[in-house]
Amino acid sequence: MNPTLYQLNIRLRLQELAQELNRPTTLNDIPDSELDRWVALGFDWIYALGIWETGTLGRQVSRTNPEWVQEYKELLPDLTESDICGSCFAIKAYQLNPSFGDRSALQQFRDRLHQRGLKLLLDFVPNHTAPDHPWVREHPEFYIQGTPEDQEREPQNYTQIPHQGIFAHGRDPYFSGWPDTLQLNYGNPAVLSAMIAELLNIAQVCDGVRCDMAMLILPEIFRRTWGIIAHSFWPAAIQKVKQQHPHFTFIAEVYWGLEWTLQQQGFDYTYDKRLYDRLHSQQASAVREHFSASLDYQQRSVRFLENHDEPRAAGTFPFGSHQAAALLTYLCPGLRFFHHGQLQGWTQKVSIHLCRSAKQTPNRALENFYEQLLQTLGHPVLRQGNWQLLDCRPAWEYNGTWANFIAFGWHKEEQERLLVVVNYAPHPGQCYVHLPWDWQPVLYTLQDLISSAYYERQGEELSTQGLYLDIPPWKGHVFAISAIAIDEQKMKNES
């Protein structure tokens, strides 16, 4: 339960290693010490971003699109063409990019992870392919095609493939097409069979898939976008994969309030962008309301402060609110998602089209914070305990600062208890936190796992009044609560 995932940008990491070793590198060059470090940090999953083969046509679009090139230059003033390797999601084939090693390299990488108890997550892009995918030539009927009139009317959504015809770009209903992709046609049953076969092949080399923009192929969304009656894909696809690989994990990138829909269709986890947005808006009431959803839904949510699509958390959240947002993001139930560079406090986002990043200076304070947070996440109660949202009450009449507090309780069996409480506001606040557990008439210790704070409170006080807290702006506590045995308490009082 509540696993922890690290998203590794394979392209960036191998490029860094190539600079260090002064030669081309492959997956086999990622040192065992680095894998051991991931284990020491407490990760369960490694999400290898950008591992699949991309094609020449998609890469050419990436290198010539003026808007994208301008974005690259903002990160890399010394940009060269070789830095632009094409989008991770314009996939030509679900096989290891030849630059990263031979066919066995991916299997060996997975085996090295498995030896350490780590699982491997890879991408699956159901909505579209690269424009030079073999299907374009072998099965053009797999794609949505257009007419010269379509291309003239919507040049941003259609493209001419030499000797093949006019094809639609992959897109969602709210934006222009992605010009380095072609749109698959889920109105054609053969596409569903072919994509299930792709999934079954992927499942041979990893433990789970992160499904890019998974909601785009839902029949109602597909019809809204393309005016085509689509066949339902996810329930049958997930079932067929899990028949052969019962523990295979499906994660959906999903938006537009369709998270629960995809959970019901079989996804193990779905992105929780709403929590990110509410934390970013810095409205404590909206964040607290978010945590009132059913526990079953929350346990299957992917919690993140950044990923390859979002801005860098260190460049978006001021230092204080960054830590407060991280406590709320990662100490609630669900899958805890950390992004390449996040633990170092990188501030510059790296485009998914690039295979090089500018050198980014680590933020030592954030590095220390994240190391402490990851150590805390290894606590057994946060891994396998029971979670609940706790009530906060005014500390005294006319003091409204209690409304900015968000508190969680974690417990496992009778005595293992954790209290997470955050003042999610730019000013100090006071409140009483109601603690719903049974309390004995003994002294209890409250040891903060992320600071030196330490308190002692009587069980009767915690039972009747709750816990009084006075917390500075954007600060929080993670209290491990333990009872002092009666004889130990007696000795303590006598001394």
Side-chain angles (χ1 to χ4, degrees):
M1 290 180 62
N2 308 308
T4 307
L5 176 151
Y6 178 60
Q7 182 184 39
L8 175 71
N9 188 318
I10 289 291
R11 296 163 160 187
L12 297 188
R13 185 63 191 117
L14 291 183
Q15 190 273 341
E16 291 168 352
L17 282 171
Q19 287 188 329
E20 294 171 14
L21 301 174
N22 197 30
R23 61 171 173 80
T25 52
T26 71
L27 287 179
N28 293 329
D29 289 303
I30 297 177
D32 287 344
S33 59
E34 189 163 344
L35 278 62
D36 294 337
R37 174 65 173 163
W38 297 335
V39 174
L41 288 170
F43 291 116
D44 304 290
W45 285 87
I46 299 302
Y47 166 19
L49 173 69
I51 209 162
W52 299 125
E53 182 179 0
T54 55
T56 302
L57 292 181
R59 186 160 49 250
Q60 185 61 25
V61 174
S62 296
R63 291 175 173 177
T64 56
N65 183 290
E67 183 179 343
W68 294 353
V69 171
Q70 181 59 38
E71 179 187 347
Y72 313 151
K73 288 181 176 178
E74 290 174 4
L75 175 70
L76 296 172
D78 60 341
L79 178 76
T80 66
E81 189 174 83
S82 62
D83 296 327
I84 308 169
C85 44
S87 168
C88 301
F89 305 110
I91 295 172
K92 178 182 178 181
Y94 287 101
Q95 59 189 25
L96 182 65
N97 188 316
S99 301
F100 302 159
D102 60 25
R103 292 175 62 90
S104 65
L106 180 54
Q107 180 73 51
Q108 292 169 9
F109 182 61
R110 187 191 70 169
D111 291 346
R112 287 201 291 150
L113 293 175
H114 283 184
Q115 290 165 10
R116 294 162 172 81
L118 294 166
K119 296 180 180 179
L120 177 62
L121 185 79
L122 301 177
D123 277 303
F124 174 63
V125 182
N127 186 65
H128 50 262
T129 73
D132 43 8
H133 192 288
W135 288 347
V136 178
R137 181 182 67 259
E138 298 167 3
H139 295 285
E141 72 279 7
F142 283 7
Y143 296 88
I144 292 180
Q145 300 184 47
T147 64
E149 291 74 23
D150 291 326
Q151 187 176 19
E152 183 177 0
R153 184 180 65 255
E154 301 177 53
Q156 75 280 14
N157 291 329
Y158 291 87
T159 188
Q160 175 81 43
I161 302 296
H163 312 297
Q164 299 298 325
I166 295 172
F167 291 75
H169 291 308
R171 68 181 180 94
D172 76 31
Y174 299 106
F175 297 96
S176 298
W178 296 293
D180 55 349
T181 70
L182 299 183
Q183 176 68 51
L184 291 165
N185 183 0
Y186 278 81
N188 181 348
V191 170
L192 281 73
S193 299
M195 292 302 279
I196 289 173
E198 293 279 44
L199 271 172
L200 289 169
N201 287 331
I202 294 170
Q204 301 290 330
V205 296
C206 64
D207 306 289
V209 284
R210 175 251 185 211
C211 299
D212 184 71
M213 298 293 280
M215 70 287 182
L216 290 183
I217 61 172
L218 290 172
E220 62 272 25
I221 302 298
F222 201 85
R223 183 174 62 252
R224 184 194 314 166
T225 308
W226 298 106
I228 293 173
I229 303 300
H231 301 273
S232 178
F233 176 74
W234 291 120
I238 292 172
Q239 181 183 27
K240 287 189 177 182
V241 172
K242 292 204 173 194
Q243 283 174 348
Q244 295 188 23
H245 307 275
H247 302 294
F248 198 80
T249 297
F250 282 84
I251 298 175
E253 180 196 16
V254 53
Y255 309 108
W256 312 335
L258 293 168
E259 297 84 356
W260 178 248
T261 298
L262 286 180
Q263 287 185 15
Q264 294 301 105
Q265 293 202 1
F267 275 91
D268 299 284
Y269 298 98
T270 56
Y271 268 36
D272 188 7
K273 177 67 158 53
R274 284 185 173 184
L275 175 59
Y276 171 88
D277 289 339
R278 288 171 171 175
L279 288 166
H280 186 257
S281 72
Q282 299 189 348
Q283 297 297 316
S285 59
V287 175
R288 187 185 308 104
E289 179 186 357
H290 189 84
F291 289 120
S292 65
S294 71
L295 183 57
D296 179 59
Y297 171 80
Q298 299 210 52
Q299 288 174 331
R300 297 166 68 186
S301 294
V302 177
R303 319 290 195 168
F304 55 84
L305 266 191
E306 65 174 62
N307 57 51
H308 61 265
D309 288 318
E310 306 299 338
R312 289 288 183 182
T316 303
F317 292 85
F319 181 72
S321 62
H322 184 156
Q323 293 182 82
L327 292 177
L328 294 171
T329 297
Y330 298 115
L331 295 174
C332 65
L335 185 149
R336 292 133 180 181
F337 182 122
F338 295 86
H339 179 216
H340 189 132
Q342 180 180 352
L343 305 182
Q344 293 75 39
W346 286 9
T347 57
Q348 294 177 289
K349 178 182 174 182
V350 182
S351 169
I352 59 170
H353 300 264
L354 294 176
C355 45
R356 180 168 73 94
S357 172
K359 185 173 179 57
Q360 303 199 39
T361 304
N363 181 317
R364 298 304 180 192
L366 276 175
E367 281 189 314
N368 292 337
F369 166 75
Y370 273 117
E371 188 150 350
Q372 195 167 37
L373 177 61
L374 285 166
Q375 183 178 358
T376 300
L377 287 175
H379 196 291
V381 177
L382 290 169
R383 286 286 190 164
Q384 299 175 346
N386 298 301
W387 173 93
Q388 63 190 117
L389 181 65
L390 301 181
D391 292 330
C392 299
R393 301 193 299 265
W396 58 81
E397 192 175 7
Y398 305 121
N399 181 348
T401 60
W402 68 272
N404 297 313
F405 281 74
I406 301 163
F408 310 145
W410 286 89
H411 70 277
K412 185 182 178 187
E413 299 173 349
E414 188 61 30
Q415 299 303 321
E416 296 185 72
R417 299 168 180 171
L418 270 180
L419 169 64
V420 180
V421 59
V422 173
N423 175 21
Y424 204 65
H427 48 72
Q430 302 80 33
C431 77
Y432 279 98
V433 179
H434 174 63
L435 302 174
W437 304 306
D438 292 331
W439 301 96
Q440 300 300 314
V442 299
L443 191 66
Y444 286 85
T445 63
L446 292 87
Q447 176 67 63
D448 194 353
L449 300 180
I450 60 169
S451 76
S452 59
Y454 174 86
Y455 302 103
E456 295 180 354
R457 295 290 185 270
Q458 291 291 339
E460 295 92 333
E461 176 187 345
L462 296 175
S463 178
T464 57
Q465 297 182 12
L467 177 66
Y468 172 76
L469 290 166
D470 184 343
I471 300 183
W474 306 122
K475 295 296 182 182
H477 296 289
V478 184
F479 288 122
I481 304 174
S482 303
I484 297 180
I486 294 176
D487 55 346
E488 182 182 345
Q489 182 177 339
K490 182 178 179 182
M491 291 175 59
K492 186 180 180 77
N493 292 338
E494 290 176 351
S495 65

